[in-house]
Amino acid sequence: MGSIYYLIRRIEFMLATVITILLFLPVTTPAKAQTSTVTVEYTINANDRDAWSGDAHTGNPNHEVRINGYNSTNEPYEFVGNDSDAESAGMEFQIAIPQGATIQDAFISVKAGSFQSTSPTGAMIIHLYNVANAQPFADGFFGDLVNHHPTYAQTASWNANTTWTNGSVQQTPNISSLIQTFVSRADYAPGNYIGFAITGGTIESGKYYGWEDYFAGGTHAKLTISYLTSAAATPTKTPTSTATAMPTATITSTPTKAPSITPTHTPMATQLPNPTAISTPASVTTTYPITANNRDAVSLDSGGSTHDIRISGYGNGSTDTANYVSSDNEQESAAMEFSVNLPSGAKITDAYVTVKAGAYQNTSPTGAMSIHLYDTANAAPFVNGLKGDLVEYQPTYSSTIIWPAGTSWSPGSVHQTPNLASFVQTFINRPDYASGNYIGFVITEGTLEQNRYYGWQDSTSAGNGAVLTVTYTR
């Protein structure tokens, strides 16, 4: 009986040990997914990826499609109208959004052309082509662009209003639902083209809107998309417990002292780090505002021995807080500097400065301002005083970019320079460039007509300073 009792006690001890080990085995749960928002921008990338269609009044029953815009000579624009031309516009963007991504926001921006007849009421209609990979447009009598491919019944209304002026940038409403429909298709793959047709909808009779075609070589239509990306961490595999065969207990008349069981240290499951969500968008767009009052300025002939620099606008902080560029007797120049953190070696695909017009303008029907780039790795702040014309404040590169600002400036309107990508590329390609350095521009009167001037808000006017927008790929 003693040996049986001893065996029972030994089995109880061993079972207790096994249960204790099992209780302390680590249980691994997958790491919580990391969710982040990625914003990407896609431009029209070929001349046959945007087009105009309309009644060319040739007697052909089919509308004519033109990939160079309405008139390649002097009107390289897409038009959408409710006039006798019955115009529609089409555009297609090659996108790299992951299939099934959750789209949060999306819109198209276009640059208004020089001809508009805006509608006080009604809206244009945005249609989505019902195809996994939209095909290029082609010149010819191929019919209204809304029939270029089948379209979904779902549309978006674009209340275009009456604010379109030559050169202004206009933006569609949120079209995220259309993008979501496209990237959720079973046959969609990153790199495919998404296509839209825009028709006259309910705009008033005789009214039309126009924007630059790719052929114009200026500001192409752009599709901006924000989407959620979720990268789940790889769960740690829990070590499998291998059952070891228990030796058969042999009952003997002489009890044997039970050996001490030394518990083996169970290795802890290794928690793998959460993987980083890697975004490989077609391009990245960043914005840089003026960061300090001494990073934009105006210079002018105030009657002294040399030009006067003022860092708080023409009135130097008083009533008129605008910086001016003029061809009048004050010979004004304006300058601005932005701290940029662009990666060295990035490829700049687009860049522009936006400014908010001040209260006083005397616009020039012809001619253009000139934009200069400071030839320095890190532009120095501006200082009040008789320091000379801002174009001489620091050395400048010999190349310039012309800014034909036009006559559409009104108080509070927002205006955009031409593409400054070549300047930004030159700056970040300098061997002495470092992330965080200041890039500087100075704008002079160029070929403006005599006694003309333009003014925009200095950064001392809170929230209204100039902004540099840069689009790049790595």
Side-chain angles (χ1 to χ4, degrees):
M1 289 297 293
S3 59
I4 294 175
Y5 173 78
Y6 173 76
L7 178 61
I8 292 171
R9 296 290 295 170
R10 181 178 178 183
I11 291 171
E12 288 176 346
F13 178 79
M14 294 179 72
L15 286 173
T17 303
V18 170
I19 291 171
T20 301
I21 292 172
L22 290 174
L23 286 174
F24 285 93
L25 281 175
V27 177
T28 305
T29 57
K32 187 176 180 180
Q34 290 182 324
T35 300
S36 60
T37 300
V38 176
T39 299
V40 292
E41 187 176 74
Y42 304 100
T43 59
I44 300 291
N45 61 11
N47 192 36
D48 58 1
R49 290 298 182 173
D50 60 354
W52 168 94
S53 73
D55 184 348
H57 305 290
T58 61
N60 193 303
N62 289 329
H63 281 196
E64 184 177 2
V65 175
R66 301 174 186 171
I67 65 171
N68 291 342
Y70 179 80
N71 183 324
S72 61
T73 303
N74 58 7
E75 292 182 69
Y77 307 129
E78 321 296 4
F79 287 99
V80 173
N82 193 13
D83 55 10
S84 62
D85 288 336
E87 296 155 305
S88 298
M91 54 184 76
E92 299 169 342
F93 303 89
Q94 187 177 30
I95 66 174
I97 303 295
Q99 187 182 40
T102 300
I103 309 301
Q104 290 190 303
D105 190 27
F107 59 88
I108 295 169
S109 55
V110 297
K111 185 176 180 180
S114 54
F115 302 99
Q116 312 287 336
S117 180
T118 57
S119 180
T121 63
M124 295 181 280
I125 301 297
I126 305 172
H127 307 257
L128 172 66
Y129 287 139
N130 186 1
V131 61
N133 193 20
Q135 297 304 298
F137 303 111
D139 285 331
F141 290 95
F142 297 115
D144 194 312
L145 285 170
V146 77
N147 299 318
H148 177 65
H149 287 300
T151 58
Y152 286 94
Q154 174 190 10
T155 60
S157 295
W158 186 0
N159 297 311
N161 63 58
T162 59
T163 63
W164 288 50
T165 55
N166 182 27
S168 62
V169 176
Q170 303 291 329
Q171 181 178 307
T172 69
N174 190 343
I175 56 172
S176 58
S177 61
L178 298 182
I179 308 297
Q180 189 70 70
T181 296
F182 183 70
V183 301
S184 297
R185 292 178 62 106
D187 51 357
Y188 162 74
N192 284 11
Y193 282 85
I194 185 173
F196 305 94
I198 304 175
T199 59
T202 58
I203 62 176
E204 294 181 4
S205 178
K207 302 299 183 179
Y208 57 86
Y209 294 87
W211 54 83
E212 286 192 0
D213 179 86
Y214 178 92
F215 180 78
T219 302
H220 308 153
K222 297 176 185 177
L223 171 62
T224 301
I225 303 173
S226 296
Y227 66 94
L228 285 178
T229 179
S230 178
T234 304
T236 303
K237 185 175 178 63
T238 304
T240 303
S241 179
T242 303
T244 304
M246 294 292 292
T248 304
T250 303
I251 301 175
T252 60
S253 59
T254 306
T256 305
K257 182 176 175 63
S260 298
I261 299 177
T262 304
T264 303
H265 181 69
T266 304
M268 296 294 292
T270 303
Q271 180 71 32
L272 297 180
N274 287 344
T276 303
I278 299 173
S279 171
T280 56
S283 58
V284 177
T285 300
T286 55
T287 57
Y288 303 100
I290 300 290
T291 56
N293 191 36
N294 60 358
R295 291 297 183 173
D296 60 353
V298 62
S299 66
L300 67 150
D301 182 350
S302 58
S305 58
T306 186
H307 283 199
D308 185 15
I309 292 179
R310 301 175 182 177
I311 65 171
S312 297
Y314 181 84
N316 220 6
S318 62
T319 305
D320 191 354
T321 57
N323 296 323
Y324 289 92
V325 173
S326 74
S327 61
D328 57 15
N329 59 0
E330 291 186 305
Q331 301 172 13
E332 294 152 307
S333 298
M336 53 192 74
E337 298 170 342
F338 305 90
S339 175
V340 299
N341 59 359
L342 300 166
S344 295
K347 180 181 178 182
I348 309 302
T349 58
D350 192 24
Y352 56 87
V353 173
T354 51
V355 295
K356 186 173 183 180
Y360 306 104
Q361 313 288 335
N362 188 16
T363 58
S364 181
T366 63
M369 295 180 279
S370 294
I371 306 174
H372 308 255
L373 173 66
Y374 283 138
D375 186 1
T376 178
N378 194 19
F382 303 112
V383 179
N384 279 327
L386 299 175
K387 308 291 185 181
D389 193 313
L390 284 167
V391 77
E392 300 165 352
Y393 189 74
Q394 297 169 102
T396 59
Y397 287 93
S398 59
S399 62
T400 60
I401 293 175
I402 62 170
W403 184 4
T407 59
S408 62
W409 289 49
S410 57
S413 60
V414 176
H415 296 271
Q416 178 178 309
T417 68
N419 195 339
L420 305 178
S422 61
F423 275 1
V424 179
Q425 190 71 68
T426 296
F427 181 69
I428 68 168
N429 285 351
R430 296 178 61 105
D432 50 357
Y433 162 74
S435 180
N437 284 10
Y438 281 84
I439 185 173
F441 306 98
V442 58
I443 304 172
T444 60
E445 76 278 7
T447 58
L448 297 180
E449 293 183 8
Q450 189 66 27
N451 295 320
R452 302 291 180 168
Y453 56 85
Y454 293 86
W456 52 83
Q457 289 293 344
D458 182 89
S459 62
T460 194
S461 176
N464 293 323
V467 176
L468 171 65
T469 300
V470 181
T471 301
Y472 67 92
T473 58
R474 294 181 182 273

